[in-house]
Amino acid sequence: MELPYSHFSAKLRVMIVVITAFTGLISPLASNMYYPSITSVRDDLNTTQSGITWTITAFVIAMAIFPLLWSNLADSIGRKPVYALSMLIFTCGSVGCALSRSLTALIAARVVQSAGSSAVQSAGAGTISDIYPREQRGTALGIYYLGPLLGPCLGPLIGGYIGQDAGWRWVFWVLAILGGVLLLLALFVLPETHRRIVSKTHSIQPVNIPPALSFKDNNPLLDIATVRYPVVALSMFLFAMLFGTYFTNATAQPLAYEGIYGLSQGMSGLCFLSSGVGCILGSTSGGRVTDLLLARHRKALEAAADSERVEDIKIPAEARLGAMWVGIGLFMCAVIICGWLIEYELALAGVLVVQFFIGAGMAFTFQSLGGYLIDVFPTRSARITGVQNFWRSLWAAVIVQLFPTMHENIGWGWSYTVMFFLTLAALLLMQVVVFRGERLRQRFGPGPELR
């Protein structure tokens, strides 16, 4: 009798994915929930607009760095203790933010908050890889990525009404309560899923089980250095341009809704539902499509192979990228249309429609790229996800700081056009991976010892 890939039941695996996705929602939710209250925070702390912007930038920079540390820890001691410890740190950071009486204190508390909330940004993908085989992983990743992608949409909506009715400090109190709930779930509900740890007590397939890591191997700089491989470098470049554009759009929309279309803080947050619905559709459909692509690819190879060689068939990781152009095409067209709609102050309804396609296109492409990298590094899924989080968050921090200057000097339309062409350049370079990725991996790596 063939051993199961995972000993968890189907229902329990779904519960694990839901808890992981919910926990993954925390980081972008914490990053975005207080955006609608920025003006109130600035006035309450007697600081400047450039000063208060550092509460955003510091959070994003920390969000880029700490997942590298968490992913190494998750691969060493397991997923469960990392989730619990990170939620404890996040809760403490949120309380610190709520009690802050100066800009310096708020920035410091935001860094602590980001350090705690960012663990699942990398460890979550490792959890999915632990419990689902490759052929079913895309659908599960689609559900998991709903958390990180819905945060920028739900954050302003929830934070807008809380900040408007209860004050900006209650935004952080709500986050602290949510962190406490997730801490309890991590401690008492979520099971350990790490395949090396689970294999010691349960009979599972001996695949994708990473070896125990030495102190030397637990070096985040070695993980970052994976960009020396062409397929990784080109994938990270597209990830960064895509997420940077998406994140900048999310942070810029309140300026348009309130400054150009005259909406209240609460109504401004409500407009983010458009891209949120798009994210749900894009992420769930994208995951299913990539699984179908792998299944179709396997059938084609099996039909062409001898019956005795069917078990030896290996589907290239690049098969997951076959439909990526659909999502990124929608995303890029929607971005450039959105910029010029706002530039000429055209109908708000049109802006909300293209925001839906921005969310859908981003989510569809995001999980295709994420699934591809996990297939390339099956035993280092948490660590490679931490690496892509590092590069995309680093670029997001840069472009968010640059956008106000771009907006003031060249306007909405041309600012969005610049981001469009940056993403287009990354997409064109990514075609090398789509069509020649397997050959590049065979020639330049990564080799089997890093997978």
Side-chain angles (χ1 to χ4, degrees):
M1 182 178 178
E2 185 180 4
L3 292 174
Y5 181 84
S6 170
H7 75 287
F8 296 113
S9 67
K11 289 183 179 179
L12 185 54
R13 282 184 290 170
V14 170
M15 183 201 74
I16 293 170
V17 173
V18 171
I19 293 176
T20 304
F22 192 39
T23 309
L25 175 67
I26 280 293
S27 183
L29 197 65
S31 175
N32 291 269
M33 261 184 72
Y34 103 120
Y35 287 170
S37 303
I38 280 180
T39 303
S40 301
V41 178
R42 181 195 64 194
D43 295 341
D44 192 32
L45 299 182
N46 296 315
T47 187
T48 63
Q49 187 62 36
S50 60
I52 206 66
T53 301
W54 275 105
T55 61
I56 300 173
T57 304
F59 187 99
V60 176
I61 292 174
M63 191 170 66
I65 296 172
F66 281 97
L68 294 169
L69 305 176
W70 285 121
S71 62
N72 280 271
L73 195 60
D75 276 346
S76 298
I77 66 172
R79 321 298 188 196
K80 183 182 177 74
V82 164
Y83 289 158
L85 178 60
S86 65
M87 285 302 99
L88 176 61
I89 293 173
F90 169 76
T91 303
C92 293
S94 298
V95 171
C97 289
L99 298 176
S100 295
R101 299 295 175 183
S102 68
L103 178 62
T104 303
L106 181 58
I107 292 174
R110 287 282 282 172
V111 170
V112 175
Q113 190 186 42
S114 181
S117 66
S118 61
V120 188
Q121 298 291 311
S122 54
T127 299
I128 302 301
S129 182
D130 290 338
I131 61 177
Y132 284 100
R134 186 185 179 195
E135 293 76 13
Q136 302 172 18
R137 200 175 294 154
T139 302
L141 282 172
I143 297 172
Y144 159 67
Y145 278 128
L146 282 175
L149 292 174
L150 279 176
C153 310
L154 296 179
L157 169 62
I158 300 171
Y161 282 107
I162 294 175
Q164 179 177 283
D165 297 334
W168 67 269
R169 295 184 187 278
W170 264 102
V171 170
F172 294 110
W173 284 121
V174 169
L175 287 170
I177 294 170
L178 184 57
V181 171
L182 291 172
L183 171 61
L184 294 176
L185 286 175
L187 287 173
F188 302 111
V189 179
L190 192 69
E192 178 57 67
T193 63
H194 195 291
R195 293 186 65 77
R196 187 181 70 248
I197 297 173
V198 170
S199 65
K200 295 177 180 179
T201 55
H202 296 84
S203 297
I204 59 174
Q205 293 179 16
V207 295
N208 294 346
I209 298 179
L213 301 175
S214 65
F215 179 78
K216 179 183 178 181
D217 293 327
N218 273 309
N219 185 350
L221 296 179
L222 294 178
D223 295 335
I224 296 174
T226 53
V227 292
R228 67 185 183 276
Y229 304 117
V231 296
V232 177
L234 294 173
S235 299
M236 296 303 174
F237 183 44
L238 181 56
F239 249 127
M241 296 304 105
L242 187 72
F243 184 74
T245 300
Y246 176 77
F247 193 78
T248 302
N249 170 71
T251 58
Q253 285 308 294
L255 298 176
Y257 296 146
E258 298 173 27
I260 295 176
Y261 295 102
L263 300 183
S264 67
Q265 183 174 314
M267 287 300 295
S268 173
L270 195 62
C271 290
F272 281 83
L273 280 179
S274 176
S275 55
V277 173
C279 280
I280 294 173
L281 180 63
S283 192
T284 52
S285 63
R288 183 59 179 159
V289 166
T290 58
D291 281 349
L292 291 174
L293 283 173
L294 288 182
R296 189 177 70 175
H297 206 89
R298 172 173 284 278
K299 287 182 179 179
L301 290 176
E302 288 177 350
D306 297 333
S307 58
E308 296 179 357
R309 299 174 54 201
V310 169
E311 296 298 325
D312 297 327
I313 289 176
K314 294 183 179 180
I315 305 172
E318 289 72 24
R320 227 180 251 284
L321 301 175
M324 182 181 64
W325 62 270
V326 175
I328 202 165
L330 279 175
F331 175 81
M332 292 171 62
C333 290
V335 163
I336 198 167
I337 292 171
C338 180
W340 290 103
L341 284 176
I342 298 174
E343 175 74 23
Y344 290 109
E345 302 182 15
L346 299 179
L348 176 61
V351 175
L352 297 181
V353 169
V354 294
Q355 286 296 317
F356 168 83
F357 288 109
I358 287 175
M362 167 65 182
F364 192 102
T365 310
F366 204 86
Q367 72 82 34
S368 295
L369 277 173
Y372 168 69
L373 287 172
I374 290 173
D375 284 353
V376 173
F377 295 89
T379 64
R380 300 188 177 210
S381 51
R383 297 172 73 173
I384 196 62
T385 305
V387 172
Q388 59 100 332
N389 181 81
F390 172 79
W391 291 112
R392 64 182 171 87
S393 297
L394 202 62
W395 172 244
V398 172
I399 193 67
V400 163
Q401 282 293 110
L402 291 176
F403 184 79
T405 303
M406 293 166 59
H407 168 244
E408 291 175 7
N409 288 279
I410 60 177
W412 286 92
W414 283 111
S415 295
Y416 273 58
T417 301
V418 168
M419 293 189 291
F420 168 88
F421 279 111
L422 287 172
T423 308
L424 177 62
L427 174 62
L428 294 176
L429 289 172
M430 188 65 188
Q431 299 314 299
V432 177
V433 177
V434 174
F435 294 105
R436 293 289 185 269
E438 189 173 14
R439 294 182 183 178
L440 286 172
R441 286 188 287 113
Q442 290 171 353
R443 182 173 180 181
F444 300 105
E449 72 280 0
L450 289 178
R451 298 177 192 169

